[in-house]
Amino acid sequence: DAEITQSPRHKITETGRQVTLACHQTWNHNNMFWYRQDLGHGLRLIHYSYGVQDTNKGEVSDGYSVSRSNTEDLPLTLESAASSQTSVYFCASKGAGASDTQYFGPGTRLTVL
Amino acid sequence: AQSVTQLGSHVSVSEGALVLLRCNYSSSVPPYLFWYVQYPNQGLQLLLKYTSAATLVKGINGFEAEFKKSETSFHLTKPSAHMSDAAEYFCAVSRAGYSTLTFGKGTMLLVSP
C-alpha cells in the first residue's frame, strides 16, 4: 500500500543547530506540503511543492526551507533552530486535483531547547 | 482569500448522544470542503469531503456533513457518539485551481460514558 512516512518521529535539539526533517511518500504525488501544529493554531502551512524543483512559501515560512530533487521526498530544514519552532510537524501529499485528498504522515515532534 | 472558523475548541457529549461540530467558511469562489480527524499522537485522516456533487456527504465511521451555501457552513454530525469518536476534528477549505488547504483551529470532541 502507498504511504507517507516521516523521520525522525521525535527530535530534541538545541537553539542554533540546523535540523532536517525527512518526508517520503510512495503515492507518486506531485504535490507535497509541510505543516506545523500548535495548540490553539490548528495546522499552519510552512512550505509546499507542486513538483520536482518547485517550492513555495506558505503562511509561516520564516526560518524554514525545503528542496525537491525527486517526486518522493520533501525534506524540511530549520537553518538555525529557535525555541519558537518547538512544534509537531506534519508532511502531506496529494494528487493534482484541487478536490483530491491530502494524505498525512504520522508527524515529527520537535523540541528546541 | 479563504478562511475557516470552527465554533468551539472543545465539545463534550455523552455516549449515544448526537454529535454536532460546527464549521463556517469564507471563500470568494465555490469551495471544496474537508473534515479530518486526528487521534492522539497520529496524523490526520480524512473523514469526508464536499466536491460540489451532493450537498449531503457521508463519510467514515457514521459521520456526515451538509454543505449549505446560504449559510456558508459545513457542519459535521453523527447521530450517536461512541467512545472511540473522542479525537480532534479539523475542517478545511480549498478551491478549484489550488492544491493548498486552509484549516480551522480544530475542535476537540470529548465523549463521556
Side-chain angles (χ1 to χ4, degrees), chain A residues 8-13 18-21 108-112:
Chain A
R9 295 294 313 277
H10 301 271
K11 174 78 176 178
I12 300 174
T13 191
Q18 184 181 80
V19 176
T20 297
L21 309 183
T108 294
R109 184 175 295 275
L110 176 68
T111 302
V112 182

Side-chain angles (χ1 to χ4, degrees), chain B residues 76-99:
Chain B
L76 182 71
T77 61
K78 182 174 179 178
S80 177
H82 235 263
M83 295 296 291
S84 59
D85 294 326
E88 190 159 22
Y89 293 79
F90 292 93
C91 183
V93 63
S94 180
R95 57 185 168 126
Y98 290 81
S99 282

Side-chain angles (χ1 to χ4, degrees), chain A residues 46-86:
Chain A
I46 305 171
H47 280 287
Y48 57 102
S49 169
Y50 288 150
V52 176
Q53 303 301 331
D54 176 75
T55 62
N56 305 278
K57 294 181 178 180
E59 177 188 357
V60 290
S61 61
D62 286 350
Y64 303 94
S65 63
V66 293
S67 62
R68 188 90 179 270
S69 58
N70 59 52
T71 300
E72 296 80 17
D73 299 290
L74 186 69
L76 177 72
T77 297
L78 287 69
E79 301 294 344
S80 177
S83 57
S84 60
Q85 294 177 308
T86 293

Side-chain angles (χ1 to χ4, degrees), chain B residues 31-44:
Chain B
Y32 300 124
L33 293 158
F34 304 78
W35 274 101
Y36 282 85
V37 61
Q38 184 182 30
Y39 298 103
N41 299 313
Q42 294 187 26
L44 278 71

Side-chain angles (χ1 to χ4, degrees), chain B residues 40-59:
Chain B
N41 299 313
Q42 294 187 26
L44 278 71
Q45 175 185 358
L46 182 72
L47 269 180
L48 50 80
K49 64 181 178 181
Y50 166 75
T51 59
S52 74
T55 56
L56 182 62
V57 182
K58 295 187 183 299

